[in-house]
Amino acid sequence: MTACKAVEIAAEIYWIGALDPQLREFDIILKTANGTSYNAYCIRGQKGVAIIDTVKISHADEFFARLEQVAHYEEIQAIILNHLEPDHSGALPELIRRAPQAQIYLSHRGQMMLKGIIKDEVLEYIPVGTGDTIDLGERQLHFLHTPFLHWPDTQCTYLEKEGILFSGDIFGCHFCDSRLFNDKVGDFRAAFEYYYAHLMRPFREHVLEALALIEPLPLNLLAPAHGPILRDSPAAYVQRYRQLAEPLLAAAKQEKTLLIFYISAYGNTTRMAQAIGEGAEMVNGVRVSLYDLQGCEVSPLVDLIEEADGLVLGSPTINGDAVKPIWDLLSSLALVKVRGKLGAAFGSYGWSGEAVSLIEDRLRGLKLRIPVKGCKIKLIPTDAELEQCRGLGYELALHLTGQTEQRLITLNELIVRETNYA
Ligand SMILES: Cc1cc2nc3c(=O)[nH]c(=O)nc-3n(C[C@H](O)[C@H](O)[C@H](O)COP(=O)(O)O)c2cc1C
C-alpha cells in the first residue's frame, strides 16, 4: 500500500486510519511486537458522508491526508465516535474545526467523556443507543450499545445493507500490517487473543451482552478500531469471543471450588496450606486445589481463578512483606473478574508477620469478601495451630456452601484466636 492512501474496504466505504508500526507498548500495560493501527472509516451516502472514529493525535496528519482523498470536509454530515479513548478521539477537535457543520454522534455514556476531552460546554452532540439510526440515503447506520468493551462509552455502528459492523475496540488487536485485511496480513492470532485477554476478559458479562446483539446480525465484514479488518470469515471472530467469554467450568458448577495458593521457604506455610485444604474438604460440595507458586506460573491458571468461588493465599513474611510471587498473582487478578468471591490469607512468620494482613488488604481492594480472619503462625506450626488452620478452611468452606450459622464463640476460643493473630 502506498503511504497515506485511503483504502476502499467496500463500495464507497474507506479506511482512513493511521499506522503506528514502531509502537511497542500500548497504554503502558500492553506489549505489541507489531505496533498498532488506529482504524477510522469514511462512509459515503446520498445524503452525505459519515466518519467513524478518528486517530491518536500524533497520527492526525495521516488521517486527514487519507480523509481528503475520499471526501470534502463540507460533505461530512456525521462524526460517529464508537468510544472516546484518546487513540480514537485525538484528531476529533481538529476534525470538528474543519467540518463544523457535522453532527457528532456518541453513546449516552460518551457525553461526559466528550466534555472531558473537548473542554467546550457549548459543543453540540447527539447521544444515541441501540435502535437509533442515521440515514445516509441509500444506507442506514444502526447503533448498538455495547458498554465497557473496553471503555464505559463503547458502542458499535452497523451498516445494515452491507452487513458491516464497525466494532470499536471489540474484535480488535494491536497488530500493524499495511496489508490491512485479515486474509492478507501476517498471522495475528496471538495478538487477537492477547488483546482479548487484557482488555475484554475483565468485562466478560458485557462481552456476552454485546454478543447477544451482534450474533444475530448478518455479517460480511468486521471493521474494528485496531488491527486487521476482518473480511474473511468475520463470524469466526464473533464465535471465538463467544468461546472465550463462556464460563469454562459451567458443567462442573454443582460444587464450589476453592483454590489455595502458597509459597514457603522452610515448609511452614506449606504445612498450613495443607491443613487449610484438609479443613475445607471436610465440607461436602467443596472441591479444593492447592498450588505451590514456586512450581507454577499464574497465567495458565487465570481461567481456574475466574471460575473459582474462593481464593486462599499463603505467604511467609519476608522483610516485612508477602513475597513477590504472591504479589504477582495478586496483580494478575486485576485482569480477572474476582469481585464477590470469598478470600482468605495465611502464613508463617518470625517476628513481625505483616504478610497476612497485607494480602487481606489487597484482596479486599479487589472486592473479594473476607469472611474468616486470616491465620498467622509464628515459625513452625504446632499440632494445635494446624488445627486452627483446619478451622479456617472449614469455616471458609461453610461460607462457600452457604452453611454458615450464627454461633456463640466462647471467651476462651476468642482469646486463643486473638493471641494467635497478635
Ligand atoms: C530473609 C528473611 C527475612 C525475614 N523477614 C521477616 C520479617 O520481616 N518479619 C517476620 O515476621 N519474619 C521474617 N522472616 C521469618 C520467616 O517469616 C519465618 O522463618 C517463616 O517461618 C518462614 O515460613 P516458611 O517456612 O513458610 O517460609 C524472615 C525470614 C527470612 C529467611
Side-chain angles (χ1 to χ4, degrees), residues 234-384:
Y237 298 89
V238 179
Q239 245 171 39
R240 181 66 187 138
Y241 261 47
R242 166 69 61 187
Q243 285 167 347
L244 290 166
E246 288 285 1
L248 184 75
L249 301 179
K253 256 331 203 182
Q254 284 89 340
E255 56 193 2
K256 297 290 178 184
T257 50
L258 182 68
L259 308 185
I260 302 175
F261 292 96
Y262 64 94
I263 189 156
S264 177
Y266 296 101
N268 299 328
T269 307
T270 304
R271 279 190 278 280
M272 296 176 71
Q274 287 160 347
I276 291 169
E278 286 161 15
E281 277 193 327
M282 287 162 64
V283 176
N284 280 336
V286 176
R287 184 173 178 183
V288 180
S289 309
L290 278 88
Y291 300 94
D292 183 344
L293 287 172
Q294 233 176 341
C296 67
E297 283 179 25
V298 174
S299 50
L301 297 171
V302 286
D303 280 330
L304 297 184
I305 292 171
E306 193 158 77
E307 297 303 326
D309 301 289
L311 304 176
V312 188
L313 271 61
S315 171
T317 296
I318 303 285
N319 297 335
D321 203 348
V323 295
K324 186 169 179 298
I326 289 285
W327 290 118
D328 289 346
L329 169 64
L330 285 164
S331 75
S332 75
L333 296 185
L335 298 180
V336 179
K337 190 174 171 290
V338 288
R339 176 186 281 265
K341 293 187 195 299
L342 297 192
F346 64 98
S348 172
Y349 71 103
W351 50 94
S352 53
E354 292 89 342
V356 169
S357 50
L358 288 171
I359 296 170
E360 285 180 329
D361 286 349
R362 181 68 184 127
L363 291 175
R364 280 193 200 95
L366 289 163
K367 305 285 187 276
L368 280 89
R369 287 194 296 125
I370 315 287
V372 188
K373 198 168 182 179
C375 200
K376 273 169 62 167
I377 286 175
K378 191 157 187 165
L379 297 167
I380 301 170
T382 62
D383 286 347

Side-chain angles (χ1 to χ4, degrees), residues 40 42 59 76 140 144 160 166 173 213 225 257 274 311 362 380 386:
C42 171
H59 289 67
I76 300 173
Q140 270 75 44
L144 306 178
E160 191 178 30
F166 300 93
C173 63
L213 292 175
T257 50
Q274 287 160 347
L311 304 176
R362 181 68 184 127
I380 301 170
L386 288 175

Side-chain angles (χ1 to χ4, degrees), residues 7 35 89 132 143 221 236 256 261 277 327 351 377 417:
V7 177
S89 61
D132 291 327
F143 295 102
L221 190 144
K256 297 290 178 184
F261 292 96
W327 290 118
W351 50 94
I377 286 175
R417 280 194 193 186

